[in-house]
Amino acid sequence: KRRAGITKLMGTWLTSRPEFGSRRVFACMHPSGVLRREFFKSKFQFAIQQFANIVKEKTSDIKTDYRLVTTPSLFREAIADIKAAPVVAWDIENSGGFNPHDGGQILCIGFSTRPGKSWVFPIRHPQMVVKGVQKILNALKEILESPLPKKVPHNGKYERKWMLYHGMDPRMDFDTMIAAYLLDENGPMGLGPLACAICQAPAWKDTIDWSKGIPPLRILWLRNAIDTDYTLRLYHAERKRINAIPELARLMKFLMLPAANLLAEVELQGMAIDRDRLNKRAIICESEKWKSEQRLSKHLKGAKIGEDKKGRRVVIDPDFGTMPINWNSTKFLGWFLYKHLGLPLLELTKTGKAGTREAVLLQLKRKHKAVGQLVEYREWQGRQSKFINSWM
């Protein structure tokens, strides 16, 4: 079943439809798509390497020692091990979606002290009543806020937001997701694909279905342990590459990490919205957008207009086929600007389509008043999609 575009699904495991045997399939872009769009090359290489590791049954030979902290003696051993480590990776598993204000709870917190070694502290999982939760959180607060050991998350902004909500102010000395972005902005950012390709990790990120509720503790804590383990392994691989390029190391330390820390605080705090004024703006925006569409539609005079099976107004053209009248569609705008209006073609995209970006429209603005009306429509559409709808 197709849940999203191949660019988002590439490198993930899916289940085919029942008529195709409900088989487990690995999503990957066709090589011809990569040849047309060079910026997908990194993701494609990662996906192929990930698949090759699985097919060849190539996995890390590091022995794992994952422990769920369930007794006072294990607690003392875990805290001592974490404090003695020079660097630790950490991660949380939580309920309630992505926003701590929505009533979610921290279910467990994992720490990895060396490759293959992870400790998981159960906090508020419904299957386990933990005595002395505050004592655990106080001990972890001391660790997370102290200069040593160095702390490494993957997408630490997310963890930091939850910790701030619970009165902790964790340090972030490195972030494996930010490092992945700095090393290759077109490559994968997810922990799963990165760990599979770089650390020979088995595929594990698709093993939990949160739509069915909170997973059993026996599954969740192991997932937490694996996440922290491979975050730490990934850190050792990425740190060498980042430090080999002083410019990237400075960018990570002085810009990206401070920005991530600040953004977590901004996301947690939120911002004040005047709802009455926002509602008025939404009405104005929709009205002006509709007026722009009406002005643009007047320029369709002479085109063959029809209606498809869904009741949508469509343009029928022998060269372009049947197209819904959609002022956000690159294909439709290509027909409208360059065939219907006969404007000069100034630019082609990387995929060979007629260019319709704003810089092109501004060059064509003096040649036909419809172009100015299209620019105006895009302004209202942008305000609605980027601001009004999100804030509503």
Side-chain angles (χ1 to χ4, degrees):
K1 184 178 180 181
R2 189 171 183 268
R3 297 179 297 179
I6 188 61
T7 56
K8 290 185 177 181
L9 293 176
M10 185 158 55
T12 63
W13 287 96
L14 305 171
T15 302
S16 66
R17 292 175 179 170
E19 58 264 37
F20 298 113
S22 298
R23 299 176 185 276
R24 197 160 179 252
V25 295
F26 185 82
C28 188
M29 179 179 286
H30 193 279
S32 63
V34 182
L35 292 175
R36 291 197 307 270
R37 287 168 285 187
E38 181 72 17
F39 48 88
F40 284 129
K41 183 178 179 181
S42 297
K43 284 188 176 181
F44 181 76
Q45 289 176 329
F46 265 93
I48 293 299
Q49 183 62 57
Q50 180 181 347
F51 186 70
N53 289 342
I54 294 169
V55 170
K56 296 177 181 177
E57 297 184 347
K58 185 179 180 182
T59 58
S60 171
D61 57 1
I62 298 176
K63 293 183 178 180
T64 58
D65 181 9
Y66 301 154
R67 298 193 191 184
L68 181 65
V69 180
T70 56
T71 65
S73 60
L74 277 176
F75 175 77
R76 290 190 293 270
E77 184 181 350
I79 294 298
D81 187 39
I82 293 170
K83 287 184 175 181
V87 58
V88 295
W90 70 286
D91 175 69
I92 68 168
E93 298 291 345
N94 62 273
S95 62
F98 300 105
N99 190 341
H101 294 294
D102 289 341
Q105 297 283 350
I106 295 177
L107 303 174
C108 53
I109 305 177
F111 286 83
S112 183
T113 55
R114 62 179 181 274
K117 178 71 172 181
S118 292
W119 301 94
V120 176
F121 299 84
I123 305 297
R124 290 188 173 91
H125 195 283
Q127 288 185 336
M128 184 175 182
V129 177
V130 179
K131 295 181 180 180
V133 167
Q134 195 55 50
K135 179 181 178 182
I136 297 173
L137 292 177
N138 289 342
L140 298 183
K141 172 182 171 70
E142 180 186 348
I143 290 170
L144 289 170
E145 294 181 351
S146 64
L148 294 175
K150 292 184 177 180
K151 266 70 69 176
V152 179
H154 186 86
N155 188 17
K157 175 175 70 69
Y158 181 83
E159 270 73 23
R160 176 171 167 76
K161 181 167 61 175
W162 280 81
M163 293 295 104
L164 287 170
Y165 182 77
H166 286 83
M168 305 183 200
D169 188 7
R171 294 174 60 93
M172 185 157 49
D173 300 291
F174 195 92
D175 188 307
T176 50
M177 189 177 83
I178 292 176
Y181 175 79
L182 290 176
L183 290 166
D184 185 356
E185 64 183 31
N186 295 315
M189 307 297 162
L191 177 59
L194 288 167
C196 288
I198 297 175
C199 308
Q200 290 79 52
W204 85 92
K205 295 298 284 185
D206 59 346
T207 56
I208 292 182
D209 185 0
W210 284 93
S211 66
K212 297 179 180 179
I214 297 176
L217 181 59
R218 61 181 175 80
I219 295 176
L220 189 64
W221 86 263
L222 185 59
R223 162 74 172 269
N224 196 192
I226 297 173
D227 282 359
T228 58
D229 180 13
Y230 281 102
T231 297
L232 187 62
R233 299 192 202 194
L234 193 58
Y235 158 76
H236 289 298
E238 288 180 337
R239 187 174 65 91
K240 292 178 181 178
R241 295 177 62 195
I242 288 284
N243 288 343
I245 308 172
E247 294 83 0
L248 289 188
R250 288 197 297 272
L251 193 60
M252 166 79 88
K253 181 177 180 180
F254 296 113
L255 178 62
M256 302 300 283
L257 292 177
N261 279 323
L262 181 59
L263 190 53
E265 297 173 21
V266 171
E267 288 186 4
L268 180 69
Q269 182 68 23
M271 59 184 289
I273 291 289
D274 183 333
R275 286 193 172 274
D276 290 338
R277 188 174 182 183
L278 179 61
N279 289 335
K280 292 176 183 177
R281 293 293 182 185
I283 294 170
I284 292 172
C285 191
E286 181 62 33
S287 174
E288 294 298 328
K289 179 185 163 189
W290 181 83
K291 290 177 184 177
S292 296
E293 287 180 327
Q294 298 309 303
R295 286 191 286 268
L296 285 168
S297 294
K298 291 180 180 179
H299 297 290
L300 294 175
K301 186 177 180 180
K304 187 177 180 180
I305 307 293
E307 191 174 287
D308 64 8
K309 294 180 180 179
K310 297 181 179 180
R312 298 176 299 182
R313 293 180 70 222
V314 296
V315 167
I316 304 169
D317 184 273
D319 298 323
F320 285 75
T322 301
M323 299 171 292
I325 298 174
N326 180 0
W327 301 105
N328 299 313
S329 166
T330 302
K331 180 181 178 182
F332 175 75
L333 289 180
W335 167 84
F336 176 72
L337 293 171
Y338 303 115
K339 184 172 183 184
H340 184 63
L341 298 183
L343 297 174
L345 180 60
L346 302 180
E347 179 182 272
L348 291 175
T349 66
K350 292 181 179 180
T351 58
K353 295 180 181 178
T356 61
R357 64 192 182 98
E358 185 177 0
V360 174
L361 297 184
L362 292 177
Q363 293 181 65
L364 296 172
K365 199 171 180 180
R366 292 184 179 180
K367 297 185 179 296
H368 201 291
K369 65 178 182 179
V371 181
Q373 293 168 353
L374 179 59
V375 171
E376 181 185 19
Y377 166 81
R378 281 189 170 180
E379 287 179 1
W380 289 111
Q381 169 67 18
R383 292 181 190 182
Q384 186 182 61
S385 62
K386 295 176 183 176
F387 302 105
I388 300 291
N389 290 349
S390 300
W391 291 345
M392 292 288 277

